[in-house]
Amino acid sequence: MSAATPKHTVLHPVHLEAGAKMVDFGGWDMPLSYGSQIEEHHAVRRQAGMFDVSHMLNIDICGPDARAYLSRLLANDVAKLTVPGKALYSCMLNAEGGVIDDLITYFFDENTWRVVVNAGTADKDLAWMQNAAASEHFNVVITPRRDLAMIAVQGPQARERVWSVRPDWAPATQALKPFNGVYVAEDTLVARTGYTGEDGFEIVLPADQAKSFWQDLQAQGVKPCGLGARDTLRLEAGMNLYGQEMDESVHPLISGLAWTVSFKNADRAFIGREAIEQATIDRTLVGVKLLERGVMRGHMKLRTPQGEGELTSGSMSPTMSVSIGMARVPAGVQAGDQVQVEIRGKWLPAEVVKMPFVRNGEIVA
């Protein structure tokens, strides 16, 4: 398939039938919104919304060297994963310490693991992972699972809505802790994860079951949501977006992701470790709230007490009714500092705030 031809998830016809506004996202034709992006955002904060995230790629990693391989591949330490179904968020780095991708890794048993990678980086990630395994002779089998679909159901009522349409999943998932997953049927994984700052599930299931599941949820009042709401939700939740807060040119310690890098085991030589241990930490990622009317966007310039910075993301916050953003700024800038943002040639006042901006529907910034 040529780069000019967008890829389609199995739910693509459903989105078109619903009248969704479609856009290219990482080479995929995906719904931006189904009408009102604001209503979709509020549905997730107040009740429940669902997202087609089937463009993301599930990759199974199996074999006797799986743990050793992932220990080498990831900046976070899979030694933390000992309970079946437990998940770990991590970055996968290049030799220079730049972020190839951020991903979630699931442990099921010593020979059976899964990583979930971003859509726009999936092909690059897969090639990198296969090369890392082959070049260092790890005994693993790496299998991309494009036979699977993935639906995120998010919001304070999300789990109850899922149980209402799939009651047979309830016994296995009612006690599921955050950042854990469990198989409820063959090739059907329910994980208590998300990208919105709300509770909920991300469900991986056979592609041929996705349409009926989506339609059943919609019949129970779960609102279909697009990329627009997904972006404002993740921004309010203080969650990074690959390609904006981090990429191959920046390492995780200046991307607000130091907590995902584990140096605890001095003998664990993960790819990129030496580079980021030697790097100068001269910048940091902070939250910014605009104090006047206007809308901040990525790449706008900032003035701070310590020097210039740049917004990596920015939008109007539907929950807070003000513009918020993330910015890469000189080290030493901290919450409470007054800064200025250049919007259409004018420097407007803003404040550095601690992230997240919103947690479980409540404004905290």
Side-chain angles (χ1 to χ4, degrees):
M1 186 176 290
S2 71
T5 304
K7 302 173 187 176
H8 296 164
T9 73
V10 69
L11 290 170
H12 188 262
V14 177
H15 305 321
L16 296 182
E17 290 169 12
K21 180 180 180 181
M22 307 297 286
V23 295
D24 180 276
F25 183 80
W28 292 78
D29 195 33
M30 296 297 293
L32 178 67
S33 66
Y34 298 82
S36 169
Q37 177 181 325
I38 302 294
E39 289 180 8
E40 293 168 22
H41 179 106
H42 288 319
V44 174
R45 287 279 179 254
R46 298 168 182 171
Q47 293 96 30
M50 59 183 173
F51 304 83
D52 177 13
V53 288
S54 304
H55 56 323
M56 299 180 72
L57 180 61
N58 284 257
I59 303 173
D60 287 343
I61 299 173
C62 301
D65 289 348
R67 183 181 287 276
Y69 165 68
L70 290 166
S71 181
R72 170 71 172 145
L73 189 74
L74 303 179
N76 212 337
D77 194 351
V78 293
K80 300 173 183 177
L81 301 180
T82 57
V83 177
K86 181 67 177 171
L88 182 73
Y89 176 72
S90 180
C91 291
M92 181 167 65
L93 309 180
N94 57 28
E96 294 72 41
V99 181
I100 295 173
D101 198 11
D102 64 321
L103 50 83
I104 292 179
T105 300
Y106 291 91
F107 164 75
F108 298 108
D109 63 50
E110 288 301 323
N111 293 312
T112 311
W113 303 66
R114 173 173 287 176
V115 297
V116 183
V117 303
N118 285 304
T121 56
D123 293 341
K124 175 185 71 173
D125 290 356
L126 189 59
W128 177 267
M129 293 166 68
Q130 290 170 331
N131 182 68
S135 64
E136 301 192 31
H137 308 290
F138 286 105
N139 185 1
V140 292
V141 177
I142 300 169
T143 307
R145 298 294 305 273
R146 281 294 179 203
D147 57 317
L148 302 174
M150 191 168 173
I151 296 171
V153 190
Q154 302 281 291
Q157 299 174 13
R159 294 192 299 151
E160 287 76 9
R161 301 290 177 92
V162 171
W163 295 327
S164 71
V165 300
R166 296 293 183 272
D168 53 319
W169 294 0
T173 61
Q174 282 178 329
L176 198 63
K177 295 179 181 179
F179 247 67
N180 283 263
V182 64
Y183 278 100
V184 294
E186 185 176 357
D187 277 337
T188 302
L189 175 69
V190 178
R192 198 170 171 191
T193 53
Y195 191 51
T196 63
E198 297 295 330
D199 202 354
F201 290 137
E202 290 181 312
I203 297 116
V204 180
L205 71 172
D208 60 4
Q209 297 176 19
K211 181 178 179 180
S212 61
F213 181 52
W214 182 272
Q215 292 175 334
D216 289 347
L217 286 168
Q218 191 168 2
Q220 285 296 314
V222 179
K223 192 173 186 64
C225 302
L227 293 169
R230 189 166 168 81
D231 192 53
T232 52
L233 288 160
R234 71 91 192 169
L235 182 55
E236 288 183 349
M239 294 179 173
N240 288 20
L241 175 62
Y242 188 84
Q244 292 183 215
E245 277 66 52
M246 71 288 201
D247 56 35
E248 291 194 41
S249 69
V250 293
H251 63 71
L253 302 192
I254 61 172
S255 299
L257 295 172
W259 62 277
T260 73
V261 182
S262 178
F263 297 110
K264 188 174 181 180
N265 180 353
D267 296 326
R268 189 174 70 93
F270 62 83
I271 298 170
R273 176 169 185 158
E274 186 175 353
I276 59 176
E277 282 183 326
Q278 296 175 357
T280 300
I281 312 301
D282 59 352
R283 291 174 292 165
T284 188
L285 192 74
V286 298
V288 181
K289 181 168 65 174
L290 195 63
L291 299 179
E292 288 190 5
R293 292 182 63 180
V295 181
M296 297 186 292
R297 300 292 184 192
H299 304 298
M300 287 181 173
K301 293 180 181 179
L302 271 79
R303 290 173 176 165
T304 82
Q306 281 75 29
E308 287 195 352
E310 183 180 68
L311 283 162
T312 55
S313 293
S315 181
M316 179 62 68
S317 162
T319 305
M320 301 169 67
S321 298
V322 298
S323 184
I324 60 172
M326 296 187 198
R328 189 164 289 115
V329 296
V333 174
Q334 57 189 353
D337 285 353
Q338 301 300 299
V339 298
Q340 292 179 310
V341 182
E342 186 180 27
I343 301 178
R344 297 181 179 177
K346 296 182 179 180
W347 290 95
L348 301 183
E351 182 182 7
V352 176
V353 297
K354 187 176 180 181
M355 294 187 286
F357 300 92
V358 178
R359 179 187 289 116
N360 294 324
E362 298 296 326
I363 298 170
V364 294

